[in-house]
Amino acid sequence: MRAGKENLNNDMKIIGSIFAYPYFLFPNVEIDEEGLANKVWGYICPPLEFGLLSPIDSPLINPLSEKAQSLSELGCSRILVCMGKKDDIIPIEIGVRFVEGVKESGWEGEVVYLEVDGGHSFQMYQPEYYEAKRMMKCYANFIHR
C-alpha cells in the first residue's frame, strides 16, 4: 500500500505482487480459532493496542476492514492470488473475498486468481506433483510478463 503513495528509491516501481496463501482474517470466515496462526496473530496484534474490539479489525490482517486504506491504492499494476483447495490453515474464502475486495475497490490493475488442488504450501513438499508444477508455471508466467 505504501508503494502506491510513496516514491521508492531510484524511482523503482513494483509491477506485480504475488499473494501465495495470504493469511488475512475476515469476519464471518470460519477459521481454526485454536490454530497456531490465529493464536500468533492475537499476540502480534492485541485488540486494545490499536483501540480495536478484536484483532480481526486491524488493517494489518484485514485489508477489507473499515480502518484499512482503500485497496484502490495498491502500489502495483498486477496481482496474483493463489489458494489451495485442501488448505487447512487458510480457507479458500479468504482469497476469494480478497479478490472481490480488490475488484470492488476500483483498483484498475489486473487480478489473476489461481486455485490449486493442494494444501497449504504443498508445493514445498511435493514439487513433482502436477498441481505444484501448474502453480509454479503460473507464477513464472506472471513474473515474466
Side-chain angles (χ1 to χ4, degrees):
M1 297 301 287
R2 286 178 49 195
K5 291 187 158 214
E6 300 174 11
N7 290 330
L8 301 175
N9 292 342
N10 299 318
D11 293 322
M12 187 175 291
K13 302 281 185 214
I14 298 173
I15 304 299
S17 294
I18 297 175
F19 294 82
Y21 313 100
Y23 186 69
F24 298 133
L25 291 176
F26 299 135
N28 306 319
V29 174
E30 215 165 299
I31 59 165
D32 179 5
E33 292 188 18
E34 295 302 314
L36 179 62
N38 195 48
K39 286 181 181 178
V40 168
W41 182 247
Y43 289 111
I44 293 171
C45 179
L48 298 178
E49 184 175 329
F50 292 103
L52 306 170
L53 297 174
S54 162
I56 203 168
D57 295 327
S58 170
L60 299 174
I61 196 73
N62 180 356
L64 304 179
S65 79
E66 290 180 14
K67 297 184 183 289
Q69 278 184 262
S70 171
L71 291 170
S72 67
E73 299 175 25
L74 281 170
C76 60
S77 58
R78 300 182 298 129
I79 64 170
L80 167 63
V81 179
C82 179
M83 301 299 292
K85 292 178 186 177
K86 297 176 184 171
D87 194 329
D88 57 351
I89 298 172
I90 303 169
I92 289 273
E93 189 178 351
I94 295 287
V96 171
R97 286 198 38 202
F98 177 66
V99 167
E100 288 171 355
V102 169
K103 289 178 179 178
E104 291 170 4
S105 76
W107 182 64
E108 296 179 2
E110 174 191 0
V111 179
V112 177
Y113 178 74
L114 173 65
E115 224 171 75
V116 292
D117 190 29
H120 193 81
S121 300
F122 76 97
Q123 74 282 2
M124 304 288 282
Y125 309 103
Q126 299 172 308
E128 295 302 317
Y129 180 47
Y130 168 77
E131 285 291 280
K133 290 179 180 181
R134 183 172 76 91
M135 186 177 94
M136 289 297 113
K137 185 173 182 176
C138 184
Y139 283 14
N141 289 339
F142 181 84
I143 291 167
H144 291 288
R145 276 194 293 141

